[in-house]
Amino acid sequence: MTIFQWKDVQGLVPAAGGAPDLGACLEAFPQLRLAATTPQDPVFHAEGDVWTHTAMVLRALLDSADYAALERADQEVVFLAALLHDVAKCSTTVVDEATGRISQPGHSRKGAIDARIALWHAGAPLAVREAICRLIAVHQVPFFALETSRKGTSPEFTVRQLSWQVDLHLLALLAEADMRGRVCPDPQRTLDAIELFRELAREENCYGQPRAFADAHTALSYFRGANVHPDYALHQEPGSRVVVMSGLPASGKDTWVATHHPRLPVVSFDDARAQLGLRHGRNEGMVAHHAVEQAKALLRAHEPFVWNATHLSDQMRAKTLDLCLAYHAEVEIMYLEQPRAELLARNQRRDTSLSDKRLLEMLLRWEVPLPTEAHRVSYVQRR
C-alpha cells in the first residue's frame, strides 16, 4: 500500500476546471473505498451511493468560478473538505426497519474526526488540517442557517459564531458544491438558502474573517449564551487566570508547563492519580473528584494556575471550562500535539501505564479546541 505524505495529498488537488484523480484519492484515503457500497436516502440522493455523490461534488466544486478565484492554499482546504465531507457515512448509516429510510446521523462530526486522524498520519500542518476538519464538521449548516434552531439560536448568532471557527466563504462554497453534486427535489430552494447565508455573513462583515467583537470576554460570553451585543464590552468580574492544557498524552504538556509557568500551581489528573496510587483508567471518577477539589480551592482564592489534562474532546473540556468560568476565571486553552512517530516514541519513554494501543484508541474522541471555547486558544504543533 502506498503511504501518502502531506505533499502527496496536496498533489491530489486539481486546478480549477481540472479533473480529480479519483483512484489516487481512494489510495490516499482508503476509508473512502467504503463509500461506493454505502447507500443514501434516495429522496435526497437519487444519484446513488456516497462515492457517486462525492465525485459529483468534486466536479461541481472544480467547475465553480468561485473555486477558480481562490488562492492555491484555500483550494487545497476546500477540495480536501469536499473529498472527505461524507467520509463517515459508511460508519454511521442507519436503515429504519419499518420504513426502509436511510440516514447517517452524526456523520459530519464523526467525519471531522476521521479526517483529522487521516491527515495527522499524512503529516498535514495543524492549521490547514483543522481548517479542513472544521468545514467537514459543519458542512450542512448553511442549508438551514437562516432558520431559527430548535435551541432558539438566531441566524445572526449562527453566522457570528461560525465565522470564528471556519472561513464562511469556503463553507458556503463547499455547501453549494454539496448541493449541486446530488439529485434531489427542489435543489434551488437550498441553493437560495446558501446565498442568503452568504448575504447575512456579508452584512455582519464576517464573510472570510471572524466577526469583530468588543473584546475577548464579550465574545466568549456571547458564544456561551449571554445576552450581549458584539460591539459593546461586557464587564469582566475578577477571577483566576487559568491555563487549560489540551492534547494527547505524551504531546509535551508537562514540559511546556515547566518551561512557561514553572511557578504556578498545577492541577493534574496524572498527579492526582499518583497521589491516590491508581493506574491509568482505574477509578477515574475518584481521580477527577480529587483534581476538581484542588481547582475549586484555587478558583475561590482567585489564584492563577494551570489545569494539566488531556481535555481531548469538546465534552471533557466543557466540564473544566464550565467550572472555571462559573468562578469568573479568565481562561486560555493551550493545545499541543506531536507527529505520530514522535508521540509513540515519547510515550514509550514515559513512566506510564498507558499503552500505545490505548493511546491511539483515544484518537476516536479527538476534537481539537475551537477558538470559541475560551478567552484565548493557542495551538502548538511540534514538527
Side-chain angles (χ1 to χ4, degrees):
M1 183 178 68
T2 304
I3 303 298
F4 273 68
Q5 298 301 313
W6 173 239
K7 62 179 177 59
D8 304 312
V9 174
Q10 289 176 291
L12 298 174
V13 181
D21 185 338
L22 297 179
C25 290
L26 292 173
E27 249 191 289
F29 300 103
Q31 186 173 332
L32 286 173
R33 295 183 187 280
L34 299 174
T37 56
T38 301
Q40 300 182 105
D41 192 319
V43 174
F44 300 106
H45 287 280
E47 72 278 2
D49 61 71
V50 173
W51 185 238
T52 298
H53 166 61
T54 299
M56 291 172 66
V57 171
L58 294 178
R59 182 72 272 156
L61 178 68
L62 293 170
D63 287 344
S64 166
D66 209 4
Y67 179 85
L70 294 176
E71 298 289 336
R72 174 64 184 179
D74 285 338
Q75 288 182 343
E76 291 175 357
V77 167
V78 75
F79 177 88
L80 292 170
L83 175 65
L84 298 169
H85 78 285
D86 282 345
V87 68
K89 277 191 171 179
C90 62
S91 59
T92 57
T93 297
V94 176
V95 180
D96 188 286
E97 292 183 3
T99 65
R101 293 296 297 270
I102 300 167
S103 62
Q104 282 100 1
H107 78 275
S108 299
R109 186 166 186 168
K110 187 175 187 304
I113 294 175
D114 291 350
R116 179 171 294 116
I117 295 169
L119 292 168
W120 178 63
H121 283 303
L126 188 155
V128 178
R129 185 195 72 211
E130 288 310 302
I132 295 165
C133 295
R134 291 175 190 174
L135 286 174
I136 294 169
V138 297
H139 70 268
Q140 292 182 305
V141 172
F143 295 177
F144 318 106
L146 272 294
E147 304 171 12
T148 299
S149 74
R150 294 174 186 172
K151 297 179 181 178
T153 301
S154 70
E156 289 80 8
F157 178 92
T158 298
V159 165
R160 291 166 179 172
Q161 183 182 55
L162 276 176
S163 75
W164 277 52
Q165 300 172 357
V166 299
D167 183 325
L168 297 189
H169 179 193
L170 298 184
L171 178 59
L173 179 55
L174 174 61
E176 182 178 342
D178 189 10
M179 182 50 54
R180 294 190 185 280
R182 68 175 71 193
V183 178
C184 64
D186 196 12
Q188 192 57 49
R189 179 179 177 182
T190 303
L191 290 170
D192 290 343
I194 295 168
E195 191 55 40
L196 289 172
F197 172 82
R198 285 188 172 106
E199 287 304 312
L200 179 57
R202 291 187 181 106
E203 286 178 12
E204 290 288 332
N205 196 28
C206 60
Y207 190 62
Q209 64 277 327
R211 207 290 187 187
F213 276 76
D215 56 32
H217 182 65
T218 304
L220 179 61
S221 301
Y222 178 85
F223 297 141
R224 291 177 65 84
N227 185 21
V228 296
H229 192 281
D231 299 335
Y232 300 95
L234 179 68
H235 173 68
Q236 186 171 2
E237 299 289 341
S240 301
R241 294 174 65 90
V242 183
V243 178
V244 173
M245 303 302 295
S246 176
L248 285 160
S251 59
K253 296 186 295 296
D254 291 349
T255 301
W256 189 93
V257 172
T259 301
H260 295 276
H261 295 292
R263 294 181 177 83
L264 287 186
V266 178
V267 172
S268 167
F269 283 22
D270 285 343
D271 290 348
R273 227 175 258 115
Q275 291 163 11
L276 296 169
L278 296 171
R279 290 172 59 83
H280 201 286
R282 298 289 180 87
N283 208 334
E284 290 296 295
M286 182 183 294
V287 172
H289 178 75
H290 189 80
V292 166
E293 289 306 308
Q294 288 180 317
K296 284 182 177 179
L298 292 163
L299 288 165
R300 283 192 292 266
H302 293 183
E303 291 292 328
F305 66 96
V306 177
W307 196 317
N308 190 5
T310 57
H311 289 122
L312 201 60
S313 70
D314 170 73
Q315 183 179 29
M316 292 307 297
R317 284 191 301 275
K319 294 178 180 179
T320 294
L321 295 171
D322 287 349
L323 176 62
C324 291
L325 294 169
Y327 283 85
H328 309 297
E330 183 173 328
V331 183
E332 176 181 11
I333 297 175
M334 176 57 64
Y335 172 79
L336 305 180
E337 72 172 55
Q338 301 281 350
R340 183 184 189 277
E342 177 63 20
L343 186 80
L344 296 181
R346 292 169 67 95
N347 192 54
Q348 287 295 314
R349 295 195 297 266
R350 295 195 312 156
D351 180 16
T352 178
S353 56
L354 179 65
S355 67
D356 287 353
K357 180 176 181 292
R358 288 188 60 197
L359 190 159
L360 291 175
E361 286 173 351
M362 296 173 72
L363 294 174
L364 299 177
R365 305 190 302 276
W366 186 18
E367 295 174 307
V368 173
L370 293 168
T372 48
E373 291 186 33
H375 292 96
R376 284 177 303 283
V377 182
S378 301
Y379 306 88
V380 178
Q381 181 183 39
R382 309 295 185 185
R383 305 288 300 223

